[in-house]
Amino acid sequence: MDQPTAVFKTVAPRVPEDDAEPAEPSGPAEESIPESGGAAAPGGDRLKQAVAAWVATAGKPTEPAAPTEPARETSEPADASPGTGGETSGTGDEASARAEEAASASSGPEERPEAPGAAGEPVAAPDAPTGAPKAAEPTWFAATKPGEPKTDEPKAGEPKTDASGAAPSASEAPRSEVPAPAGPKSDAAPADAPMAAPSDAPKPDTPKADAPKPDAPKPDAPKAEVPGPAGTEPAGAEPGVSEEPVDQPTTMFRAVRPPVVDQPTTALKLPRDLAGPDSDSERTSTFVPLRPDVPADQKAAKPQAAAPEPRPKAEAAAPAPALTEPERTRQQPLPPLPPLDLLAELTNTPPPPPNAWRTTLRRVRIWTPLVLLLLIVFAIVQMVRPLPAPALKLSGTPTYTFAGGPLKMPWPGEGQGAVEIEGVGSMGTYGAQKPAPIASVTKTMTAYVILRDHPLKGNQKGPRITVDQKAADQAKAAHESTAPVKKGQTYTEKELLQLLMIPSANNVARLLARWDAGSEQAFVDKMNAAAKELGMTQSRYTDPSGLLDSTVSTPQDQLKLAKAVMKFDVFREIVDMPNATIEGVGYIENNNSRLLLKDGVTGIKTGSSTPAGGNLLWSANTVVDGRTHRIVGIVMGAQNAETLNKKLELSLDYSYELIKQAQGDTTSAAVVKKGQVVGYVDDGLGGQTPVVATKEIKAVGWPGLKVDLELTDGGKAVPHSGKAGDVVGTVSVGEGAGRISAPVALRSDLVEPGFDKKLTRVG
């Protein structure tokens, strides 16, 4: 039956001989398909396996093959051309072709011989009838393997025999791409001759001899007849020969060429490292250009070149590089170009030659925008920064010195003491200023603790306190100053304070201590704690009455206590009394009554003992410019007398002399006049706006006294701007009760700092 036969076009790799000029064929040329790992294209082996697998499944015929017709012999020369599929008009060649076709159909894909015309596109015989059955075309899968040795080629016109003398089988038939020489085919094997089985035994490895070049057909040589229709005999055929038509190929199905796909090709092939994988020898790449595919029919027209020289074993054994792995380069990346060079490369403009002027200009162009940006950012930051708070500052000297020369106080020649005008300052001290016994002056601290814990205001007299047995018993002591109180009597707090400070009763001091703290020692602890609160760092109390000489203090500490206790109205009233009458006790007289009768003398407490001598803590008043100022002082350690009472009287005399001098030297002076510039408002950025006093300030002092001036905001924040005359603070002189102050106002408008000051500020 007319069966379509798939003829695959053999694509042979291009070799250098393909570029040479074609020459006349000198003999039958054999062509074999290279195996994987040879010089063929890298994808040939895989293509071969894929097609072989397809043929193995598609080669099983679903219809019976057409019977092979008996070969016919003819004496006419063959007229078939190499492009007709490899068949000749002789009967021997036809039988050989049929046998070869049968062998290729039954044998495996690796044992089938390649038909001479398989490499090209098969063409039907020129005069073949249209309805003639098509001959099965041999495929190229039966080509002999490149590694198998071949026997010597038979001479032209002689049949090829094996070692046993039998005719060669179809699989071993020579593949000729050129027509056989003209002549009779009487020696060809009959079509029904048995075919020799293909042998896998190795053949003698003999070199292939050059096939003799067949004679070119003469112009007048008879041509082989083309078989006619079935049942007819071609003209000139010998009698007795079957006239059945020869199975000629009528229609050849041209294999569809697959689309050209750009597949990875090893362009740079790394040679095998002959020195070993760990060799440090330099690796180089050999460029192998791709060759175009040359069809087998065109390749058959070219002369077969001499056998290629055997390659070295090392090179032949080199494995083919993987197609899927991309080539890797070992070149390190180049460093980045300078900005101008990169710009020149992108714009295809060569950079100018470097010189000093261009370098300077380039630096100016680069740094100028950065500097401008920094200046803009700096200006914005300076503008949004908050302004510093304005402050009032004194102008000129912050002190004022009273005229009249230095003060001359009549200081005693013994003991120690100090004088101070409350709120103004100290008028001076004398003596060692060391802790010493103070005797009954201790009762000043006792009264301070009682009034602090149990204060009396106005006409209040306080709670009533009952006299206990111990106070009644101590009232009978002969060598102490006491008050004649009895057990069970009740006295108010104010009455007991009068008995404590006027006649200096020791038993009443102990009674108040037990009433306030529960025990005398607990009260003593409170006395020492109060002294620490007042800053009396050199004082120590051991009893509430001062009878013990272990109770010591200094003049400066006693002046601190005097200023604190004189703040109680009840205490000032009591210590200013020369005498008093108390119910249940009777008339009592103050120990410093003669001094209290002097003008301006107001107390405070006397104290005398053998170790302490005569002591007096006193206070006096002086009036300056219609204001009363308190003067406090103390005289300690008066010993220049024979008796204890005379020592006490001596301390009174010393004290009165100091009081008179302090009262006489106390004066006032206009420290600040109205409208005087006393300072300025500093805005923190260099701006200064003067301020003036709105009234006169007269300070109290004495000749040679230096007083300090203080300019404050009066508890209100100074504004950033204001009008002239706005009050922005106060100016004051002195401290404490003698402090004098006056408001201050702007002399001119206060203006907020401008842009230039905000921009140039650093701090």
Side-chain angles (χ1 to χ4, degrees), residues 722-741:
K723 299 293 184 179
D726 292 347
V727 177
V728 293
T730 58
V731 59
S732 58
V733 178
E735 58 183 23
R739 186 182 182 88
I740 304 174
S741 61

Side-chain angles (χ1 to χ4, degrees), residues 69 137 170 199 380 447 572 758:
E69 297 183 2
E137 292 293 332
S199 176
I380 295 175
R572 290 196 306 270
K758 292 180 181 180

Side-chain angles (χ1 to χ4, degrees), residues 241-263:
V241 180
S242 175
E243 298 180 358
E244 293 181 359
V246 181
D247 188 6
Q248 296 275 348
T250 57
T251 302
M252 302 300 294
F253 289 91
R254 182 175 180 180
V256 180
R257 178 175 296 180
V260 179
V261 181
D262 187 7
Q263 300 211 359

Side-chain angles (χ1 to χ4, degrees), residues 178-526:
V178 297
K185 293 289 184 174
S186 58
D187 296 335
D192 54 352
M195 295 184 293
S199 176
D200 294 335
K203 299 180 181 181
D205 190 6
T206 57
K208 185 191 301 182
D210 293 338
K213 184 175 183 181
D215 296 335
K218 297 179 181 181
D220 55 349
K223 298 181 180 179
E225 293 183 358
V226 180
T232 62
E233 187 173 358
E238 295 182 4
V241 180
S242 175
E243 298 180 358
E244 293 181 359
V246 181
D247 188 6
Q248 296 275 348
T250 57
T251 302
M252 302 300 294
F253 289 91
R254 182 175 180 180
V256 180
R257 178 175 296 180
V260 179
V261 181
D262 187 7
Q263 300 211 359
T265 307
T266 306
L268 300 177
K269 179 179 180 182
L270 295 175
R272 190 175 69 88
D273 191 359
L274 300 179
D278 299 333
S279 174
D280 294 333
S281 60
E282 181 181 3
R283 296 178 179 269
T284 58
S285 300
T286 303
F287 178 74
V288 179
L290 300 177
R291 299 181 178 89
D293 296 336
V294 180
D297 52 355
Q298 298 180 12
K299 191 175 182 70
K302 299 180 181 181
Q304 182 70 19
E309 297 180 1
R311 297 184 180 180
K313 295 182 179 181
E315 182 178 359
L323 298 179
T324 57
E325 181 180 1
E327 182 182 4
R328 297 183 180 178
T329 178
R330 298 184 180 181
Q331 183 178 1
Q332 297 296 329
L334 296 176
L337 295 176
L340 290 181
D341 295 345
L342 181 59
L343 180 61
E345 182 177 338
L346 295 176
T347 58
N348 201 16
T349 303
N355 53 50
W357 169 250
R358 292 184 182 275
T359 302
T360 304
L361 184 61
R362 179 176 60 182
R363 291 177 180 175
V364 170
R365 290 178 178 176
I366 292 175
W367 288 104
T368 299
L370 296 178
V371 173
L372 291 177
L373 179 61
L374 291 178
L375 290 177
I376 294 173
V377 172
F378 176 76
I380 295 175
V381 171
Q382 291 289 79
M383 293 301 296
V384 301
R385 282 178 59 189
L387 293 173
L392 287 170
K393 295 183 179 180
L394 286 169
S395 61
T397 57
T399 59
Y400 176 82
T401 303
F402 284 81
L407 177 65
K408 296 179 180 179
M409 293 291 291
W411 302 114
E414 62 173 342
Q416 56 183 349
V419 177
E420 180 180 342
I421 297 179
E422 189 176 354
V424 178
S426 174
M427 299 185 72
T429 61
Y430 75 97
Q433 302 295 316
K434 292 182 179 180
I438 55 177
S440 291
V441 179
T442 304
K443 295 180 178 65
T444 307
M445 176 60 77
T446 304
Y448 173 75
V449 174
I450 293 297
L451 288 174
R452 186 195 64 179
D453 295 344
H454 310 278
L456 299 176
K457 296 181 180 180
N459 296 324
Q460 293 180 355
K461 296 182 179 180
R464 300 192 68 86
I465 303 171
T466 303
V467 178
D468 57 6
Q469 184 64 43
K470 189 174 183 179
D473 295 341
Q474 292 175 353
K476 301 176 182 180
H479 302 288
E480 293 184 47
S481 58
T482 60
V485 293
K486 297 179 180 179
K487 180 183 178 182
Q489 294 179 341
T490 59
Y491 297 92
T492 63
E493 178 184 347
K494 184 176 181 179
E495 292 175 340
L496 291 179
L497 287 175
Q498 290 175 343
L499 293 174
L500 175 69
M501 299 301 294
I502 295 174
S504 185
N506 291 344
N507 58 339
V508 174
R510 299 184 187 104
L511 175 63
L512 289 173
R514 290 191 298 271
W515 170 75
D516 177 75
S519 65
E520 296 180 18
Q521 184 59 42
F523 188 79
V524 170
D525 294 339
K526 293 178 67 174

Side-chain angles (χ1 to χ4, degrees), residues 17 26 76 140 248 285 316 349 360 451 458 500 553 583 665 749 754:
E17 290 78 11
S26 59
E76 306 220 357
W140 50 275
Q248 296 275 348
S285 300
T349 303
T360 304
L451 288 174
L500 175 69
S553 184
E583 185 180 358
D665 289 344
D749 293 342

